[in-house]
Amino acid sequence: MKGREFAPSFISSSVLSEGASQRSAGSQAIIVYRLPWTWKCSKLLMKSIHAGLNTVAAILAIISLVAVFDFHNARKIPNMYSLHSWVGLAAVILYMLQLLLGFFVFLLPWAPLSLRALLMPIHVYSGLLIFGTVIATVLMGVTEKLIFALQSPAYSTLPPEGVFTNTFGLLVLVFGALIFWIVTRPQWKRPKEPNSVLLHPNGGAPEGAEGTMAVNFGNMDKSDSELNSEAAARKRNFALDEAGQRSTM
């Protein structure tokens, strides 16, 4: 099998791996964090699975690129002349940047929480954008492959190969729509962990910290009022004792 012929299969596998692993978008991240049976797992475990699936998708995308360039160079076919190749290469580059950003900022515990909070919306949006771009690249790639490969019978006559590939393209489109639907449903969002602390991007107080400070100040106010009432009661008792002593004298 020639490299050009199995490249679409690798690209399609890359789409499936990416869809199974992401965010979010955003978040963050697409459906790994949004499956209800994963909500009981720790956040670190889900981050590791998320990063692992994205790494597999990146490896498949790189293999597909190498296969295409090797086939073009062997057949003396020009490279990077079609819209499919431009969009595909842009998607791979953005995907690699997204993977590195997620690894160093969100997976490793080195980045400050304020930086994570600042980059999280960008991480989620870029993940969805790259996912949609990869789906578009797959649809353009399989169509381009059929136009060049099917000569007799021609693709315009809708042979069985064309029907099969068109059906495959529709399934890829439905798959992408399903992923976007899951991402946009609030009921599929992973619940916040009880002890999690999220910083606002503008450097404000952490969520939950204001409530904790309010509770602490409330306890302080309560303790101060109790001390004041005890002091007032002691003063009243002391005044009554003095009055009783004077009456006896």
Side-chain angles (χ1 to χ4, degrees), residues 112-133:
L113 294 179
S114 58
L115 179 61
R116 295 185 182 185
L118 179 64
L119 295 179
M120 178 57 71
I122 301 175
H123 185 70
V124 173
Y125 172 78
S126 59
L128 292 175
L129 176 63
I130 294 170
F131 179 73
T133 304

Side-chain angles (χ1 to χ4, degrees), residues 5-184:
E5 297 183 1
F6 62 74
S9 300
F10 278 128
I11 298 175
S12 303
S13 301
S14 177
V15 172
L16 295 175
S17 299
E18 182 183 1
S21 63
Q22 294 205 1
R23 33 192 329 235
S24 260
S27 332
Q28 243 269 16
I30 296 184
I31 65 173
V32 160
Y33 294 109
R34 293 179 176 267
L35 299 176
W37 54 85
T38 65
W39 294 347
K40 296 181 179 179
C41 300
S42 65
K43 194 70 175 291
L44 180 59
L45 176 61
M46 299 314 302
K47 283 184 178 181
S48 301
I49 296 176
H50 177 75
L53 292 175
N54 278 285
T55 303
V56 172
I59 293 174
L60 294 176
I62 292 175
I63 293 175
S64 67
L65 284 179
V66 173
V68 170
F69 280 105
D70 286 346
F71 179 80
H72 280 194
N73 295 333
R75 297 294 183 90
K76 307 299 181 181
I77 300 175
N79 293 310
M80 304 300 300
Y81 65 90
S82 65
L83 179 61
H84 162 69
S85 60
W86 287 20
V87 176
L89 184 61
V92 172
I93 293 175
L94 292 175
Y95 190 72
M96 296 303 169
L97 295 176
Q98 173 85 342
L99 185 62
L100 293 176
L101 175 68
F103 182 78
F104 287 105
V105 175
F106 298 104
L107 183 61
L108 299 179
W110 299 339
L113 294 179
S114 58
L115 179 61
R116 295 185 182 185
L118 179 64
L119 295 179
M120 178 57 71
I122 301 175
H123 185 70
V124 173
Y125 172 78
S126 59
L128 292 175
L129 176 63
I130 294 170
F131 179 73
T133 304
V134 172
I135 291 179
T137 303
V138 171
L139 296 180
M140 289 188 292
V142 295
T143 303
E144 180 182 305
K145 172 63 181 177
L146 287 181
I147 292 175
F148 287 110
L150 293 180
Q151 300 294 334
S152 180
Y155 183 33
S156 59
T157 61
L158 203 62
E161 296 86 350
V163 174
F164 174 80
T165 306
N166 290 347
T167 304
F168 170 77
L170 290 177
L171 292 177
V172 171
L173 187 62
V174 171
F175 168 76
L178 178 62
I179 297 300
F180 277 103
W181 185 85
I182 293 176
V183 171
T184 56

